[in-house]
Amino acid sequence: MKHFTKAATGRLLRGTTAAAVLLLAGAVPAQAAHRHLEQGDWLYVTVTHGDVPSGDTRGTLLTCDPPQGHAHASEACGELRSARGDIRGIPHKDVFCSMIYAPVTVEARGQWQGRAVDYTETFANSCVMRARTGEVFALDA
């Protein structure tokens, strides 16, 4: 069993109180953001590089009313509108990609025109991913 000094216990309690205050302060904007998301088209998109689930993962919230939160929000939203929110319906680009295996798993969760979106797919590499999904998962500027 660990024993803490009185000073250490005081620091721990102050830290816990500060964390609670920060969480409560962030709750109101989160509720406001949640109400906004209920009304528009939005996706939380992630890109994971590597073979293992704990690989390098990046993610962002893409909103389309107006397009924001993503390095290529306008383009991604335009492609999604054309495909009626179906990522698999985005026209494939005719490009040559290397045959180097560097797997990329992408996920998109959210809603489009009131319909739930739940998409996951693994591609052989980033080039193939971009050719098949357009700008939706292009998180780099």
Side-chain angles (χ1 to χ4, degrees):
M1 178 176 215
K2 259 189 170 174
H3 295 282
F4 294 101
T5 65
K6 191 173 186 178
T9 304
R11 285 192 300 271
L12 181 63
L13 289 174
R14 282 192 301 277
T16 304
T17 303
V21 168
L22 289 173
L23 286 172
L24 289 174
V28 173
Q31 290 171 349
H34 182 68
R35 277 193 299 273
H36 171 72
L37 292 178
E38 288 176 358
Q39 299 170 4
D41 297 331
W42 63 275
L43 296 175
Y44 185 76
V45 297
T46 61
V47 177
T48 303
H49 294 272
D51 271 333
V52 294
S54 62
D56 175 31
T57 301
R58 296 188 58 217
T60 192
L61 179 64
L62 168 65
T63 60
C64 291
D65 299 316
Q68 60 188 355
H70 184 291
H72 305 274
S74 294
E75 297 89 349
C77 290
E79 290 170 344
L80 285 164
R81 281 187 193 99
S82 295
R84 295 187 182 124
D86 180 7
I87 296 169
R88 288 180 178 86
I90 294 173
H92 296 182
K93 294 178 183 164
D94 195 18
V95 298
F96 290 101
C97 294
S98 71
M99 293 186 65
I100 296 172
Y101 183 69
V104 179
T105 300
V106 296
E107 292 185 37
R109 308 232 183 302
Q111 79 170 19
W112 193 269
Q113 296 178 345
R115 179 179 47 84
V117 174
D118 187 2
Y119 170 86
T120 303
E121 192 162 350
T122 299
F123 298 96
N125 57 49
S126 295
C127 177
V128 176
M129 179 228 17
R130 190 97 180 241
R132 300 275 166 77
T133 63
E135 301 299 314
V136 174
F137 298 100
L139 302 183
D140 297 325

